Each structure stands twice: as C-alpha cells, then as structure tokens.
C-alpha cells in the first residue's frame, strides 16, 4: 500500500470532526468545524500529501492544523522517529485539535496556537516539509525561510496549489491545479 493511502486508512477522518458531522466523514468535500474553519476535502488532502512526499523521521510543520487530522496524517507518515508540529490561529480550534491528536496516540506530534502576526513556527525551524492548509494571496517568504535545504512546502496561493522546493539559495516553484481554502491570516 502506498504511504499516503496507508495514512488515510490508519487515521480515519471521523475522529477529527465535530460529533454532529462524523456521519459525513466519507463526504469528499470540506466540512465546517466551527469558527469559520473547515476540515479539508479528503481528495485535496491526499493530493497535497502526495506532493509533499513526507519521509520517515522528518521534521514537519502543519500550518492551519485545524482539527488535527492533517497533523495526524503527517505523523503517521513520519513515524515515531519524526516530529510534526501543527500550528493553528483560532484558540478554541487549537485546543480541540490537540485533544483530537492526543486521542490518536502519536506523542511525536502536537498542535499549538499560532502567535498573532507570525507565520509558522520559526523558533523550531528548519523543517524538512511544510504543509499549509490556508490560502495567502502571495507566497510567504517567512514560510520559505523556515524550509531546510532540500525541503518541500505545499501551499495554495491565490487559488493555485504550489510545490515549493528549496535547494541552497534557490527556490523552485511548480503549479499543481486550482483549489479553494480559507484565507491564511
């Protein structure tokens, strides 16, 4: 089984949805989780994780961690020798996402509240991989700077999914389809 497919099987979406929405877990679309946030469409998450190409033992940042589902998927991909740090701006969703993640029993993964005005978690950089589940208008230099040499970031920018690969001082950006996300704040 492919690693991303195995992660989806090991980390069911239902455990990361509000109780009233769990019956819709198989729906291939975004599901509201409160505070104007959504749990992303599974097909979109799958495409993003395939592009990200997460490996065992990597240090990964999950920006816009929300309910914790993508953080848990990433943690499955890194395995216990890796480290996944999720960051979420909305305090109530941050706490709920962390509780969901604790229920998944992956102590190498966590979610913390984003510091207002700061993108990502620069104090823990560099990251081998960065997944961004919210949409900025332009590619944020602050997140590119948090990538390790050889690192990859998948981010929707102005409706286009970008794969950003950092090699020394060079940054290679490729386009991979059109998507809609909540705004990155």
């Amino acid at each position: 089984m492919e690693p991303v497919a195995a992660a989806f099987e090991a980390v069911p979406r239902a455990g990361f949805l509000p109780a009233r929405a769990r019956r819709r877990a198989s729906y291939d679309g975004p599901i509201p989780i409160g505070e104007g946030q959504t749990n992303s469409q599974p097909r979109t998450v799958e495409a993003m994780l395939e592009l990200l190409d997460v490996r065992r033992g990597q240090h990964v940042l999950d920006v816009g961690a929300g309910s914790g589902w993508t953080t848990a998927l990433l943690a499955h991909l890194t395995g216990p020798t890796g480290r996944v740090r999720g960051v979420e701006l909305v305090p109530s969703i941050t706490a709920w996402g962390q509780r969901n993640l604790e229920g998944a029993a992956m102590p190498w993964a966590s979610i913390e509240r984003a510091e207002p005005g700061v993108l990502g978690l620069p104090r823990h950089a560099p990251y081998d991989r960065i997944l961004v589940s919210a949409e900025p208008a332009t590619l944020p230099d602050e997140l590119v700077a948090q990538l390790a040499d050889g690192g990859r970031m998948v981010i929707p920018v102005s409706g286009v999914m970008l794969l950003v690969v950092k090699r020394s001082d060079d940054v290679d950006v490729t386009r991979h389809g059109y998507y809609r996300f909540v705004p990155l704040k």
Side-chain angles (χ1 to χ4, degrees), residues 13-94:
R13 185 184 195 197
F16 295 86
L17 293 174
R20 68 187 179 283
R22 289 184 180 154
R23 61 181 166 66
R24 298 182 59 217
S26 63
Y27 169 64
D28 190 27
I31 295 176
I33 59 172
E35 304 286 342
Q37 306 297 312
T38 62
N39 180 280
S40 295
Q41 177 179 20
R43 188 172 11 138
T44 300
V45 173
E46 180 182 21
M48 293 173 79
L49 292 178
E50 290 288 349
L51 282 172
L52 201 58
D53 191 27
V54 176
R55 306 292 173 94
R56 293 273 188 219
Q58 288 187 320
H59 187 206
V60 180
L61 176 63
D62 185 17
V63 178
S67 70
W69 185 45
T70 54
T71 310
L73 290 166
L74 290 163
H76 184 272
L77 292 167
T78 68
T81 60
R83 179 72 172 104
V84 180
R85 299 174 190 277
V87 63
E88 172 60 47
L89 189 58
V90 180
S92 61
I93 293 183
T94 303

Side-chain angles (χ1 to χ4, degrees), residues 3 39-40 44 53 94 107 118 132 144 153 166 184:
N39 180 280
S40 295
T44 300
D53 191 27
T94 303
V118 176
V132 183
V144 174
M153 175 169 57
K166 186 175 183 181
L184 180 66

Side-chain angles (χ1 to χ4, degrees), residues 56-168:
R56 293 273 188 219
Q58 288 187 320
H59 187 206
V60 180
L61 176 63
D62 185 17
V63 178
S67 70
W69 185 45
T70 54
T71 310
L73 290 166
L74 290 163
H76 184 272
L77 292 167
T78 68
T81 60
R83 179 72 172 104
V84 180
R85 299 174 190 277
V87 63
E88 172 60 47
L89 189 58
V90 180
S92 61
I93 293 183
T94 303
W96 176 60
Q98 180 59 36
R99 285 191 307 274
N100 291 340
L101 193 57
E102 288 166 1
M106 297 175 168
W108 58 95
S110 61
I111 298 173
E112 63 182 82
R113 183 164 184 259
E115 184 179 328
V118 176
L119 285 178
L121 289 172
R123 71 183 176 280
H124 296 293
Y127 300 97
D128 299 303
R129 300 290 188 265
I130 300 175
L131 178 68
V132 183
S133 297
E135 184 176 327
T138 60
L139 182 62
D141 291 335
E142 304 94 318
L143 290 177
V144 174
Q146 293 175 51
L147 277 173
D149 187 27
R152 297 167 72 97
M153 175 169 57
V154 173
I155 180 172
V157 175
S158 292
V160 178
M161 191 63 67
L162 302 181
L163 170 61
V164 179
V165 180
K166 186 175 183 181
R167 293 185 184 92
S168 299

